[in-house]
């Protein structure tokens, strides 16, 4: 522990794009630091200034559109961050804040860049950007990140694949493994076969495969009653109307964004989790948090057939072509028709998380990093 409240060292987390209770930022990074005895400020989009779980949330206004982040959110974030004294540890979580990180470093702060995804690859998969500009922007981001590696005190990455681009003694790998709460009475996914509930929680986008899942629901419900419990938010907002026009939408129970406790409650009545991301460059080597959360909650998974995901999931689910609604539908039907094997898969997934894929070891690396910095 760092010490009593009077002697606690203040550290600051910054995000201009993530929700205030983002699993990695709030429940993993911030909560782990509070538990270790640090005083943690989180500057992020939120309704009001308040303290939650020991984390001092400093509210930024909510962005109504993407341009708000540039003209309204980031300038206010910078002004708040500049008020902290020299040698304050500033830990930021969005690539759009790299210029802010540079400014803060030049004013004497200690700066950590937390790389949540392979940004150059992510840019290559953004269809709303013309192809020629995607390539140029991606290359520019690679150069900017290379420069940040030279300037910032530390770089945190979430996957070993991203780590390859940041080869340095400054780089720390903190993977997106679930928090194991030994005091939580988690009810594992159920064995009910009629109706069957599938669970998806997270950002709802085209490249995360939700359209294909909804098309699969229409196929499945010709034979079995199956409902997708869909939690999260649409990006862009106009996607909600597009998906609601799909015939399979009538088999969707949209519950919006939910907190961690509610997630566990919802998962307990579901029979499987689904994460069928499209094979865009940034997804193939990704380790989505929801994949491990489903496994921890005892849900067998239907997941994209990426080699890395096959290695992670092992015998805890079924891998499918995420672009093929029929293949997704066949996997859902197989689970509904084989409840015993489905339960065994869920149990195997939970064991993998308890034994291997959990936050405990990652937390130790995080705390050691901060001890060295402060």
């Amino acid at each position: 522990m760092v010490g009593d409240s009077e002697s606690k060292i203040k550290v600051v987390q910054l995000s201009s794009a993530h929700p205030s209770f983002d699993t990695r930022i709030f429940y993993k990074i911030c909560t782990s630091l509070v538990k270790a005895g640090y005083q943690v400020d989180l500057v992020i989009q939120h309704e009001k200034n308040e303290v939650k779980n020991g984390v001092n949330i400093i509210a930024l206004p909510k962005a109504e559109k993407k341009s708000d982040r540039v003209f309204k959110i980031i300038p206010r974030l910078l002004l708040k961050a500049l008020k902290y004294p020299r040698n304050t540890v500033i830990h930021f979580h969005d690539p759009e804040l790299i210029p802010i990180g540079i400014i803060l470093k030049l004013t004497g702060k200690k700066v950590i860049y937390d790389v949540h995804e392979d940004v150059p690859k992510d840019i290559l998969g953004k269809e709303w950007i013309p192809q020629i500009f995607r390539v140029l922007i991606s290359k520019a981001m690679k150069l900017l990140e290379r420069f940040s590696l030279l300037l910032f005190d530390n770089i945190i990455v979430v996957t070993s694949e991203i780590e390859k681009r940041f080869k340095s003694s400054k780089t720390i790998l903190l993977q997106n493994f679930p928090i194991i709460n030994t005091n939580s009475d988690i009810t594992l996914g159920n064995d009910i076969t009629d109706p069957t509930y599938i669970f998806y929680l997270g950002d709802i986008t085209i490249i995360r495969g939700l359209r294909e899942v909804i098309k699969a629901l229409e196929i499945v419900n010709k034979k079995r009653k199956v409902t997708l419990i869909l939690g999260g938010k649409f990006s862009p907002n106009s996607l909600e109307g597009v998906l609601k026009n799909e015939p399979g939408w009538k088999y969707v129970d949209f519950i919006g964004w939910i907190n961690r406790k509610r997630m566990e409650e919802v998962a307990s009545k579901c029979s499987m989790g689904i994460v069928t991301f499209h094979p865009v460059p940034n997804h193939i080597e990704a380790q989505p948090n929801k994949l491990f959360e489903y496994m921890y909650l005892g849900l067998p998974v239907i997941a994209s057939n990426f080699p890395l995901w096959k290695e992670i999931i092992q015998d805890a689910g079924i891998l499918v072509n995420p672009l093929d609604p029929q293949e997704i539908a066949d996997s859902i039907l197989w689970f509904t028709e084989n409840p015993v094997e489905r339960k065994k898969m869920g149990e195997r997934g939970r064991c993998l998380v308890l034994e291997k894929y959990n936050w405990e070891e990652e937390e130790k690396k995080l705390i050691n990093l901060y001890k060295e910095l402060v």
Side-chain angles (χ1 to χ4, degrees):
M1 298 292 286
V2 174
D4 298 331
S5 58
E6 292 82 4
S7 60
K8 283 184 178 180
I9 298 169
K10 177 171 285 189
V11 297
V12 182
Q13 306 292 316
L14 304 178
S15 176
S16 54
H18 286 82
S20 49
F21 298 116
D22 176 83
T23 299
R24 179 175 177 86
I25 298 173
F26 185 84
Y27 288 104
K28 293 178 183 175
I29 305 292
C30 291
T31 303
S32 293
L33 290 170
V34 168
K35 187 170 69 173
Y38 292 92
Q39 183 179 345
V40 181
D41 284 4
L42 172 60
V43 183
I44 201 164
Q45 293 184 50
H46 195 56
E47 291 80 12
K48 61 180 180 178
N49 295 337
E50 62 177 331
V51 177
K52 286 280 189 180
N53 292 6
V55 180
N56 181 33
I57 301 175
I58 299 174
L60 296 170
K62 292 291 191 76
E64 300 296 329
K65 51 188 182 295
K66 284 187 178 181
S67 62
D68 285 348
R69 298 219 304 260
V70 176
F71 298 108
K72 186 163 67 173
I73 307 300
I74 294 177
R76 297 188 189 193
L77 178 148
L78 174 60
L79 289 174
K80 292 178 185 296
L82 285 171
K83 293 178 181 179
Y84 290 99
R86 291 174 61 87
N87 289 324
T88 301
V89 176
I90 303 287
H91 183 159
F92 72 91
H93 297 267
D94 306 297
E96 64 193 36
L97 295 181
I98 291 177
I100 302 302
I102 293 171
I103 293 170
L104 295 174
K105 181 62 185 173
L106 293 175
T107 61
K109 312 292 195 295
K110 295 179 179 179
V111 178
I112 302 171
Y113 173 28
D114 200 323
V115 188
H116 291 208
E117 58 188 358
D118 193 323
V119 182
K121 284 186 178 179
D122 183 47
I123 291 167
L124 291 175
K126 292 188 180 298
E127 295 183 357
W128 55 272
I129 303 175
Q131 179 68 34
I132 187 171
F133 293 119
R134 274 185 252 172
V135 174
L136 292 173
I137 296 170
S138 176
K139 289 181 178 179
M141 179 54 71
K142 280 185 180 180
L143 290 173
L144 185 58
E145 288 191 327
R146 192 171 300 167
F147 177 68
S148 71
L149 179 60
L150 298 174
L151 184 65
F152 297 150
D153 294 273
N154 285 101
I155 305 290
I156 294 176
V157 297
V158 297
T159 69
S160 55
E161 188 65 23
I162 297 175
E163 187 180 23
K164 293 174 184 177
R165 294 198 299 105
F166 291 92
K167 282 293 182 183
S168 168
S169 59
K170 294 181 177 181
T171 304
I172 306 293
L173 174 64
L174 292 183
Q175 299 184 86
N176 254 342
F177 296 158
I179 301 163
I180 304 303
N181 185 356
T182 54
N183 297 319
S184 177
D185 295 325
I186 292 176
T187 304
L188 301 183
N190 68 48
D191 301 323
I192 298 172
T193 57
D194 189 19
T196 296
Y197 293 101
I198 310 168
F199 190 34
Y200 176 92
L201 176 65
D203 287 337
I204 303 167
T205 68
I206 286 295
I207 62 172
R208 292 196 171 199
L210 273 303
R211 175 180 275 167
E212 288 78 11
V213 172
I214 292 169
K215 289 180 182 293
L217 287 175
E218 185 184 9
I219 298 170
V220 169
N221 274 275
K222 293 175 182 177
K223 297 182 178 180
R224 297 268 185 171
K225 186 177 180 181
V226 175
T227 297
L228 171 67
I229 299 184
L230 180 61
K233 60 180 181 179
F234 295 92
S235 180
N237 292 333
S238 58
L239 180 60
E240 181 174 4
V242 173
L243 294 184
K244 284 184 175 180
N245 283 329
E246 291 286 343
W249 181 263
K250 58 180 170 287
Y251 307 113
V252 175
D253 179 8
F254 177 60
I255 59 174
W257 195 262
I258 56 176
N259 61 28
R260 185 175 181 82
K261 183 178 179 181
R262 177 65 178 143
M263 175 189 73
E264 293 179 1
E265 293 172 356
V266 173
S268 69
K269 77 172 190 175
C270 293
S271 299
M272 66 198 83
I274 194 160
V275 50
T276 47
F277 288 5
H278 286 185
V280 298
N282 189 41
H283 286 166
I284 294 170
E285 296 291 340
Q287 294 178 193
N289 189 68
K290 62 176 63 58
L291 184 62
F292 299 105
E293 292 286 359
Y294 295 157
M295 293 165 67
Y296 174 50
L297 295 169
L299 296 177
V301 295
I302 297 173
S304 303
N305 54 0
F306 305 151
L308 176 62
W309 292 15
K310 181 179 180 180
E311 181 183 330
I312 292 169
I313 294 167
Q314 299 180 32
D315 296 322
I318 299 175
L319 299 173
V320 299
N321 176 357
L323 302 177
D324 187 345
Q326 183 63 59
E327 193 169 331
I328 297 169
D330 290 343
S331 297
I332 295 170
L333 285 169
W334 189 90
F335 273 138
T336 65
E337 294 162 0
N338 296 273
V340 174
E341 186 58 31
R342 184 182 73 214
K343 185 177 181 181
K344 288 180 181 178
M345 285 184 172
E347 291 170 349
R348 286 196 287 266
R350 181 168 170 82
C351 285
L352 281 170
V353 171
L354 294 176
E355 294 170 4
K356 183 178 181 181
Y357 303 126
N358 61 74
W359 178 248
E360 185 175 351
E361 290 303 314
E362 309 306 296
E363 182 180 66
K364 291 176 185 176
K365 291 189 283 184
L366 172 71
I367 302 308
N368 286 337
L369 168 62
Y370 269 78
K371 283 181 179 178
E372 292 176 6
L373 273 180
V374 302

